[in-house]
């Protein structure tokens, strides 16, 4: 059978004039990711904790059992600045659209996707001595959304508009033009593509098994939500009109804001 996509969804609604209400209404998984990144990054930049203690340093993990580094090396985004703000914007926007679109009322599936991408990034950190892999995770999230919604028209800087499938590569090229190496972007593209291919393309277009089926214990911990039922302390979502799924192409992944 052909690869089926969820119908494209509009960009997230504009931020409420009340920041507390905007934050309170944010879906649980996106809220957790965004909050974790902001808190850990601010803590490292304002001296609440040494930035070194947030990085992926295998000898410290192996010899001193500093296992929190498996988490903080993803949440810590490096120095504060415009690239950090851009990355947080992309994380919020595309994680929100995944959580309310492709993974609507399926928190276990989204959490499992994040766990897979997180694990692959940690493997790369170990193999290539990377100390921070948070930005590639954001890129992988963006990549998956752009691949599932490849024909959706998106806007970019300077008023340009094009299909979402091109957005990751355009952002990659843009960051290289601004002086970045592109390696963080490419890593995020690779991780996002591995998930997208194994989860959607391989079973649908090549008749393969779904090797990334969400385990039952994850679904028991984070059960699917019934329509109109709120979970994780969130208000019940309004039911969004559905279209019939149509075939969707797939593109590449991207990265945001600039190298650390």
């Amino acid at each position: 059978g052909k690869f089926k996509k969820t119908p494209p969804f509009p960009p997230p609604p504009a931020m409420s004039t009340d920041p507390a209400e905007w934050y309170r209404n944010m879906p649980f998984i996106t809220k957790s990711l965004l909050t974790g990144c902001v808190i850990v990054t601010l803590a490292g930049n304002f001296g609440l904790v040494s930035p070194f203690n947030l990085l992926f340093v295998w000898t410290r993990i192996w010899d001193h059992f500093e296992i929190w580094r498996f988490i903080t090396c993803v949440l810590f985004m490096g120095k504060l600045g415009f690239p950090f703000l851009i990355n947080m914007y992309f994380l919020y926007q595309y994680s929100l659209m995944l959580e309310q679109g492709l993974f609507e009322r399926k928190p276990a599936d989204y959490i499992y996707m994040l766990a897979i991408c997180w694990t692959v990034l940690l493997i790369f950190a170990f193999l290539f001595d990377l100390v921070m892999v948070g930005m590639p995770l954001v890129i992988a999230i963006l990549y998956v959304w752009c691949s599932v919604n490849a024909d959706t028209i998106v806007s970019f800087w300077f008023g340009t508009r094009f299909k979402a499938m091109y957005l990751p590569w355009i952002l990659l090229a843009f960051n290289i033009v601004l002086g970045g190496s592109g390696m963080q972007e490419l890593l995020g593209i690779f991780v996002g593509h591995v998930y997208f291919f194994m989860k959607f393309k391989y079973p649908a277009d090549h008749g393969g098994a779904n090797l990334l089926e969400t385990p039952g214990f994850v679904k028991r911990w984070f059960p699917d939500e019934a329509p109109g039922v709120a979970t994780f302390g969130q208000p019940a979502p309004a039911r969004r009109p559905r279209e019939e799924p149509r075939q969707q192409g797939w593109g590449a992944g991207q990265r945001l804001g600039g190298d650390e």
Side-chain angles (χ1 to χ4, degrees):
K2 292 294 186 179
F3 166 61
K4 300 294 185 180
K5 69 177 274 294
T6 56
F9 295 98
M15 178 177 172
S16 169
T17 54
D18 181 359
E21 180 183 358
W22 166 77
Y23 182 78
R24 185 168 54 250
N25 292 333
M26 196 184 306
F28 172 75
I29 301 173
T30 298
K31 179 191 295 185
S32 300
L33 273 177
L34 187 66
T35 303
C37 288
V38 170
I39 289 177
V40 172
T41 301
L42 291 179
N45 277 269
F46 287 103
L48 299 179
V49 62
S50 170
F52 175 77
N53 290 331
L54 304 174
L55 305 178
F56 185 92
V57 181
W58 178 249
T59 54
R60 301 295 300 183
I61 296 172
W62 181 259
D63 295 336
H64 301 277
F65 203 61
E66 296 179 358
I67 58 175
W68 66 81
R69 294 178 184 267
F70 287 129
I71 298 175
T72 57
C73 74
V74 178
L75 298 179
F76 183 55
M77 293 287 174
K79 294 180 180 179
L80 294 178
F82 185 68
F84 168 73
L85 295 178
I86 291 296
N87 277 281
M88 291 301 94
Y89 169 76
F90 276 109
L91 174 61
Y92 165 71
Q93 181 179 31
Y94 289 95
S95 177
L96 180 67
M97 289 194 291
L98 277 182
E99 192 170 358
Q100 295 183 338
L102 180 64
F103 299 111
E104 184 180 20
R105 294 191 297 276
K106 297 180 179 179
D109 291 348
Y110 189 29
I111 289 172
Y112 191 56
M113 174 201 136
L114 292 173
I116 291 170
C117 294
W118 200 300
T119 301
V120 174
L121 287 171
L122 291 177
I123 293 173
F124 271 92
F126 173 77
L127 294 176
F128 297 101
D129 294 326
L130 304 177
V131 296
M132 293 188 300
V133 288
M135 292 182 182
L137 178 66
V138 180
I139 300 165
I141 291 171
L142 181 147
Y143 177 88
V144 171
W145 185 88
C146 289
S147 298
V148 170
N149 298 277
D151 293 331
T152 300
I153 302 300
V154 297
S155 299
F156 192 53
W157 293 341
F158 313 118
T160 55
R161 292 167 59 84
F162 42 80
K163 290 184 178 181
M165 62 187 296
Y166 302 120
L167 177 60
W169 300 112
I170 291 173
L171 287 171
L172 168 61
F174 193 78
N175 283 320
I176 292 176
V177 168
L178 293 180
S181 68
M183 296 309 297
Q184 295 270 334
E185 293 87 341
L186 287 175
L187 178 56
I189 287 171
F190 175 79
V191 172
H193 181 69
V194 166
Y195 176 82
F196 178 74
F197 180 83
M198 298 301 291
K199 179 66 176 179
F200 300 112
K201 292 294 291 183
Y202 181 62
D205 290 357
H206 303 281
N210 185 353
L211 302 177
L212 300 183
E213 185 68 31
T214 305
F217 74 91
V218 180
K219 286 185 174 292
R220 287 192 295 271
W221 290 348
F222 303 97
D224 290 353
E225 304 168 15
V229 175
T231 59
F232 304 114
Q234 302 301 316
R239 179 61 177 160
R240 186 184 295 105
R242 284 292 197 179
E243 305 172 9
E244 284 298 317
R246 57 187 177 88
Q247 183 177 353
Q248 182 66 319
W250 56 288
Q254 145 271 346
R255 115 81 159 183
L256 6 131
D259 291 333
E260 72 269 17

